[in-house]
């Protein structure tokens, strides 16, 4: 059974979970409604969705570079990504929500990068919450 849009937004507000795993059966209409619903709830949005799937570390970093134009991206590796995410502004009342609709290609082709991404996002979430009392969430269909 799939969650409603309201239920998903409530799950994002839980500071104890940096990743919100959504069932792949979440309707496309609900996924498309997430960005405006989360913005209304006080989140800034980063979307990793794009025309081509993210399938390796290079395409993952490229997607983040295109999703975060307001800051200079540090380096060409995942450590640079972590530093860049830590420098995002804290100007939204709730924090940040990253939407990753289709992580399957990355998980299948480069599982180590996917796992490291999860660790980085958990670190960024914990750090930003401890310092700024803002959330940093990954919403992923899997």
């Amino acid at each position: 059974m799939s969650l409603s849009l309201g239920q998903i937004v409530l799950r994002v507000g839980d500071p104890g979970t940096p990743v919100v795993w959504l069932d792949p059966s979440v309707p496309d209409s609900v996924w498309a409604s997430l960005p405006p619903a989360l913005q209304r709830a006080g989140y800034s949005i980063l979307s990793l969705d794009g025309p081509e799937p993210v399938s390796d570390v290079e395409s993952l970093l490229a997607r983040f570079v295109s999703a975060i134009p307001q800051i200079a991206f540090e380096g060409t590796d995942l450590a640079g990504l972590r530093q860049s995410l830590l420098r995002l502004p804290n100007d939204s009342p709730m924090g940040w929500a990253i939407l990753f609709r289709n992580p399957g290609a990355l998980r299948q082709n480069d599982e180590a990068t996917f796992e490291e991404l999860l660790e980085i996002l958990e670190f960024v979430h914990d750090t930003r919450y401890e310092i700024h009392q803002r959330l940093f969430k990954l919403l992923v269909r899997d």
Side-chain angles (χ1 to χ4, degrees), residues 12-28:
V12 173
D14 176 9
T17 57
V19 179
V20 177
W21 297 95
L22 300 175
D23 191 290
S25 68
V26 168
D28 289 341

Side-chain angles (χ1 to χ4, degrees), residues 2-3 5-6 13 17 20 34 49 52 54 99 112-113 122-123:
S2 193
L3 296 173
L5 181 61
T17 57
V20 177
L34 271 173
D49 295 340
E52 299 295 323
V54 172
L99 303 174
T113 293
E122 182 177 344
F123 174 81

Side-chain angles (χ1 to χ4, degrees), residues 5-66:
L5 181 61
Q7 291 170 318
I8 293 170
V9 172
L10 285 174
R11 285 181 66 190
V12 173
D14 176 9
T17 57
V19 179
V20 177
W21 297 95
L22 300 175
D23 191 290
S25 68
V26 168
D28 289 341
S29 60
V30 171
W31 187 264
S33 299
L34 271 173
L38 290 167
Q39 286 175 326
R40 285 191 301 275
Y43 294 91
S44 294
I45 306 297
L46 288 176
S47 177
L48 298 182
D49 295 340
E52 299 295 323
V54 172
S55 59
D56 56 21
V57 69
E58 291 82 16
S59 60
L60 176 67
L61 294 174
R63 194 62 53 86
F64 269 106
V65 166
S66 66

Side-chain angles (χ1 to χ4, degrees), residues 78-109:
L78 292 173
L81 174 64
R82 180 178 62 212
Q83 293 308 311
S84 296
L85 295 175
L86 287 169
R87 287 196 337 265
L88 284 170
N90 292 306
D91 51 4
S92 57
M94 294 300 293
W96 288 87
I98 299 175
L99 303 174
F100 195 5
R101 181 179 184 161
N102 186 10
L106 181 61
R107 285 188 85 176
Q108 290 174 5
N109 295 327

